[in-house]
Amino acid sequence: MIETLHLNALAPESREEAVNTAAGLLKEGKLVIIPTETVYGLAANALDAEAVKRIFVAKGRPQDNPLIVHISDMEQIAPLVREIPENARLLAERYWPGPLTMVMPKSDLVPDVTSGGLDTVAVRMPSHKTARLIIEKSGLPLAAPSANLSGSPSPTTAFRCAQDMDGRVEAIVMDEDSQVGVESTVVALHGQDVLVLRPGAVTPADIARVVGEEHVSVHPSITAPLSSDMKAESPGMKYKHYAPKAEVTILRGSRQAFLDYVGQHREQGVYLLQFEEDDDIGLPYLCYGSAEDSSSQAHRLFEALRELDELGAKTVYAHAPAAEGVGLAVYNRLLRAAAFRVIDLE
Ligand code: TXA
Ligand code: MG
């Protein structure tokens, strides 16, 4: 049975209780689902190889896909890494706590199972209040992948975590829905250069403001399938992600072009994943935010993908987001859900 630790906005002491229980379980090497500002995470003591192994089992995750280590204080970072590149320091000053993960050379303290056998470790300092309190109270760096079964969309609500993970973890801290809705930006640092491995709410332009535009690049696999001659800098790139049961196709074009196309595809089992501004043309649809607001799309996307599965959608036509700013993260996740099927309408 899963222990549910409820946070109740009307009873502030419920947070303290939940935090204390969660921290106690983590110290004993147990698995606890915690809220973060991006998506919910499945946490364990990052330095306890046995506990971390159980994360991989609970998720059904390939063992070579490394985990992100979560900290709440800059002092926690030194023991985890061999060096902190200067640009990492500058980016931490500007964007931590927040949805930015930085890959750095790992120290021997971090078990190989946590880093998927790599000699680097990914570190992030979340901004979510409850997450921070749990890290502080436990006094541990916490390894935490998204709290979904491997291959399904990351969970942005406690309910979805329970759906995927009941019986697989010791406890779940039930807090509000995740605010950002897509996982953190992951970057690798090579000397002065910063390579974006996974886009998120901290955008390439945000990073450029700190390290200079000439030092920022975006890995090609973010908007294209990883080709056999491309190096998978981040093992997560190799794996099929967010695979809904329906066949998803992304349609790129104006509101009118989208409507014209789907109007000609009124088949059984077709669902539309569209924007609030798009018209209702009599086909079943779900909205994922506003066409004008990438953050609203990020907030809603994963939940919408799960709902489409529950509705029994066979074919989904998704109106493409603008792949800029936070929209790059939305497009990147949707591309994977669509197995890179995109139709240009114009
Ligand atoms: O927002 C987030 O990052 C969430 C919350 C819970 O913090 N966590 C998350 O973890 O998304 P996960 O395990 O689902 O994704 C971690 C990604 C994977 O794509 C993995 O390959 C990459 O980070 N990664 C981890 N360590 C790495 C390393 N040493 N080098 C390159 N990529 C790494
Ligand atoms: Mg994940």
Side-chain angles (χ1 to χ4, degrees):
M1 254 311 281
I2 190 168
E3 184 170 353
T4 46
L5 309 169
H6 288 273
L7 289 190
N8 179 346
L10 300 175
E13 65 281 6
S14 67
R15 188 192 303 265
E16 201 181 325
E17 235 178 83
V19 164
N20 287 341
T21 310
L25 288 167
L26 288 162
K27 283 200 273 194
E28 289 168 20
K30 302 279 169 58
L31 304 188
V32 180
I33 293 176
I34 64 169
T36 88
E37 72 278 20
T38 54
V39 301
Y40 273 73
L42 200 183
N45 176 358
L47 307 181
D48 178 342
E50 291 311 311
V52 172
K53 274 184 204 155
R54 292 186 53 229
I55 292 183
F56 285 86
V57 174
K59 276 183 64 87
R61 181 179 175 104
Q63 300 227 344
D64 68 345
N65 196 3
L67 306 179
I68 295 172
V69 178
H70 297 68
I71 59 174
S72 60
D73 193 294
M74 272 313 268
E75 309 227 311
Q76 279 178 291
I77 197 172
L80 303 173
V81 301
R82 291 197 303 279
E83 55 156 330
I84 306 176
E86 179 55 19
N87 275 339
R89 247 180 240 289
L90 295 174
L91 286 168
E93 253 171 49
R94 178 67 185 80
Y95 294 115
W96 277 2
L100 175 68
T101 296
M102 293 193 270
V103 175
M104 289 178 253
K106 105 175 175 60
S107 75
D108 291 340
L109 190 68
V110 179
D112 284 341
V113 21
T114 303
S115 66
L118 299 177
D119 69 349
T120 51
V121 60
V123 186
R124 157 162 130 82
M125 188 191 288
S127 61
H128 194 282
K129 185 174 176 186
T130 311
R132 295 174 60 74
L133 288 171
I134 292 170
I135 301 169
E136 269 167 36
K137 191 78 192 178
S138 70
L140 297 168
L142 298 181
S146 48
N148 52 288
L149 287 173
S150 204
S152 61
S154 295
T156 56
T157 70
F159 171 71
R160 296 299 185 188
C161 298
Q163 233 181 8
D164 275 18
M165 290 296 165
D166 195 0
R168 294 169 178 262
V169 300
E170 272 73 36
I172 169 168
V173 178
M174 305 199 118
D175 207 335
E176 287 166 356
D177 298 355
S178 307
Q179 214 191 338
V180 176
V182 292
E183 310 88 338
S184 62
T185 306
V186 178
V187 300
L189 298 119
H190 302 290
Q192 294 223 75
D193 295 331
V194 180
L195 175 60
V196 179
L197 301 175
R198 180 175 76 180
V202 174
T203 66
D206 292 334
I207 295 165
R209 270 194 287 283
V210 174
V211 305
E213 206 170 334
E214 66 281 18
H215 292 300
V216 184
S217 54
V218 172
H219 197 284
S221 75
I222 283 173
T223 51
L226 189 69
S227 62
S228 51
D229 56 341
M230 254 185 236
K231 191 171 146 222
E233 276 238 20
S234 180
M237 289 170 178
K238 288 189 306 207
Y239 297 107
K240 197 174 169 203
H241 260 164
Y242 325 119
K245 294 190 193 97
E247 184 178 282
V248 180
T249 301
I250 300 173
L251 302 179
R252 211 157 32 194
S254 66
R255 207 172 114 201
Q256 192 56 51
F258 178 75
L259 290 178
D260 289 346
Y261 185 93
V262 298
Q264 290 162 13
H265 290 78
R266 296 173 180 274
E267 288 125 31
Q268 190 65 28
V270 166
Y271 277 75
L272 309 181
L273 180 58
Q274 61 185 37
F275 299 120
E276 284 151 12
E277 295 87 345
D278 290 325
D279 296 302
D280 175 355
I281 63 154
L283 279 169
Y285 68 94
L286 288 182
C287 287
Y288 75 116
S290 158
E292 304 296 320
D293 178 2
S294 300
S295 298
S296 72
Q297 297 159 18
H299 180 70
R300 180 71 190 129
L301 178 67
F302 285 147
E303 183 58 25
L305 288 173
R306 284 179 179 253
E307 287 170 17
L308 285 165
D309 267 352
E310 286 176 343
L311 288 165
K314 298 274 179 294
T315 304
V316 173
Y317 292 113
H319 199 175
E324 287 149 28
V326 180
L328 182 63
V330 178
Y331 187 56
N332 166 264
R333 306 312 192 272
L334 194 54
L335 262 179
R336 276 156 179 77
F340 295 94
R341 271 182 300 271
V342 182
I343 299 177
D344 276 309
L345 300 175
E346 288 161 312

